[in-house]
């Protein structure tokens, strides 16, 4: 007599995972569709429409318009369109800056521990120098130096931000990778690979990197919100890419720029500050939940 097979239980996913992935996917979709979702040109000025309130505000002094759902700033630029393009800037910073920073951190950390002696001393000294300055201060200095070196275009502004963030963020990962590589050098499999005459490239790619991949994954997930948070902080304190085109327009539309402009318009139009702030909170929380999920999964 055959025993009937029990139905396979459906695989359950964590609610935090589903929530975080859904939120991140929505923001990525908004970033891709920003040129089509925007109702106005985010750079277009119109002083006749300056300081308009959101469309739900109607009073004796001013009245909102459906053409500008979140109102306009002091130059007449549409806040809703600038918010959407700010989503694109935030996602593009993550996509560009994080892989570059991770690559530099992994390569420098492995080289420091593997080759040792003089190479290790030089790299450790360099890391100490970079970490001796506060991260925000070092980033501000780099942005001030780099923002006038490129042609004043939107893409050049993003490149400046990516270079600035990458030059600061690689140190923490490099130290983690260096410590783990030093630990792996004392293992038997490492000594066996060296005794068998394996090349340095083969040892690093086949034996070292697979054993530090979990550190890289944890670092990437945990540092996803750090990039957009740093850009928002810099924008809030007034450090932005303000190279001029022809009409003194901002070359990079970002949430940080909205924070800076929203400080003076808090009583007149709080949506300019609170909408990107809530979006930043929601996106950062999604990345934190995603990192927590991967951390718990790896610990199992």
């Amino acid at each position: 007599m055959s025993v009937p097979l029990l139905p396979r239980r459906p695989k359950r996913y964590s609610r935090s995972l589903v929530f975080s992935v859904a939120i991140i996917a929505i923001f990525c979709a908004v970033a891709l569709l920003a040129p089509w979702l925007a109702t106005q040109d985010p750079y277009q000025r119109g002083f006749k429409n300056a300081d308009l309130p959101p469309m739900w505000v109607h009073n004796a002094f001013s009245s909102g318009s459906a053409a500008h759902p979140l109102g306009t700033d002091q130059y007449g630029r549409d806040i809703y369109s600038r918010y959407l393009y700010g989503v694109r800037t935030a996602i593009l910073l993550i996509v560009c800056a994080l892989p570059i920073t991770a690559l530099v951190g992994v390569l420098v950390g492995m080289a420091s521990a593997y080759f040792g002696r003089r190479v290790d001393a030089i790299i450790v000294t360099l890391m100490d120098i970079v970490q001796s300055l506060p991260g925000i201060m070092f980033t501000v200095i780099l942005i001030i130096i780099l923002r006038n070196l490129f042609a004043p275009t939107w893409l050049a502004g993003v490149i400046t931000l990516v270079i600035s963030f990458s030059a600061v963020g690689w140190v923490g990962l490099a130290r983690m990778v260096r410590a783990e590589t030093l630990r792996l050098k004392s293992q038997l499999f490492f000594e066996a690979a060296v005794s068998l005459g394996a090349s340095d490239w083969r040892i690093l790619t086949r034996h070292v990197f697979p054993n530090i991949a979990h550190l890289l994954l944890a670092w990437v997930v945990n540092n996803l919100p750090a990039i957009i948070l740093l850009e928002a902080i810099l924008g809030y304190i007034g450090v932005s890419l303000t190279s001029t085109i022809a009409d003194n327009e901002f070359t990079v539309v970002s949430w940080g720029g909205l924070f800076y402009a929203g400080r003076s318009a808090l009583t007149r139009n709080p949506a300019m500050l609170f909408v990107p702030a809530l979006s930043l909170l929601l996106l950062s929380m999604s990345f934190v939940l995603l990192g927590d999920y991967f951390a718990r999964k790896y610990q199992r």
Side-chain angles (χ1 to χ4, degrees):
M1 181 178 179
S2 60
V3 180
L5 297 176
L6 295 176
R8 180 177 298 179
R9 298 179 62 181
K11 188 176 182 180
R12 295 183 179 180
Y13 293 96
S14 171
R15 292 182 179 179
S16 62
L17 175 65
V18 175
F19 172 80
S20 60
V21 171
I23 295 299
I24 294 171
I26 291 173
F27 276 103
C28 290
V30 171
L32 291 174
L33 300 176
W36 294 273
L37 295 176
T39 57
Q40 306 288 336
D41 183 354
Y43 296 102
Q44 183 178 1
R45 298 186 177 196
F47 290 99
K48 293 181 179 180
N49 297 323
D51 293 328
L52 288 179
M55 65 177 183
W56 58 82
V57 175
H58 298 280
N59 51 47
F61 302 98
S62 58
S63 179
S65 171
H68 305 283
L70 297 179
T72 59
D73 62 8
Q74 59 181 341
Y75 302 109
R77 297 175 297 192
D78 184 58
I79 297 173
Y80 171 71
S81 301
R82 294 179 69 81
Y83 164 77
L84 294 179
Y85 276 76
V87 176
R88 185 179 67 170
T89 301
I91 298 300
L92 190 59
L93 283 176
I94 293 174
V95 172
C96 296
L98 207 60
I100 295 175
T101 307
L103 179 63
V104 173
V106 170
L107 292 179
V108 171
M110 288 195 303
S112 177
Y114 183 79
F115 295 105
R117 296 183 180 179
R118 294 182 179 178
V119 175
D120 188 35
I122 294 173
I123 292 177
V124 170
T125 303
L126 177 62
M127 291 190 290
D128 291 337
I129 292 174
V130 174
Q131 284 194 322
S132 64
L133 289 174
I136 294 180
M137 182 185 298
F138 194 33
T139 306
V140 169
I141 294 173
L142 289 175
I143 289 178
I144 293 175
I145 294 174
L146 295 175
R147 67 182 178 182
N148 293 321
L149 295 181
F150 302 102
T153 62
W154 172 80
L155 184 58
V158 174
I159 293 173
T160 302
L161 290 174
V162 169
I163 294 175
S164 303
F165 296 160
S166 301
V168 176
W170 61 272
V171 179
L173 178 60
R175 289 191 182 277
M176 293 171 53
V177 172
R178 175 180 176 273
E180 184 65 14
T181 305
L182 288 174
R183 187 188 68 83
L184 293 174
K185 288 180 67 175
S186 62
Q187 302 296 317
L188 292 177
F189 73 89
F190 190 95
E191 297 178 359
V194 174
S195 62
L196 291 174
S199 62
D200 295 338
W201 176 255
R202 182 177 180 86
I203 292 174
L204 291 174
T205 56
R206 295 294 184 88
H207 300 286
V208 176
F209 181 76
N211 288 284
I212 64 172
H214 66 282
L215 293 177
L216 177 60
L217 177 61
W219 181 88
V220 167
V221 176
N222 290 325
N223 281 270
L224 283 171
I227 297 176
I228 53 177
L229 284 173
L230 181 58
E231 190 279 325
I233 293 173
L234 292 175
Y236 184 78
I237 63 178
V239 180
S240 57
L241 297 175
T242 56
S243 299
T244 57
I245 301 178
D247 197 19
N248 196 28
E249 295 182 351
F250 290 105
T251 58
V252 175
V253 180
S254 65
W255 287 347
L258 290 177
F259 292 154
Y260 181 73
R263 296 186 310 172
S264 59
L266 186 59
T267 57
R268 183 178 68 253
N269 187 358
M272 189 187 305
L273 181 63
F274 286 121
V275 170
L278 292 176
S279 300
L280 180 62
L281 175 64
L282 189 60
L283 187 58
S284 300
M285 183 176 63
S286 301
F287 285 133
V288 171
L289 291 175
L290 187 63
D292 181 68
Y293 170 81
F294 282 115
R296 287 186 282 106
K297 184 177 181 181
Y298 178 76
Q299 288 176 357
R300 295 176 186 174

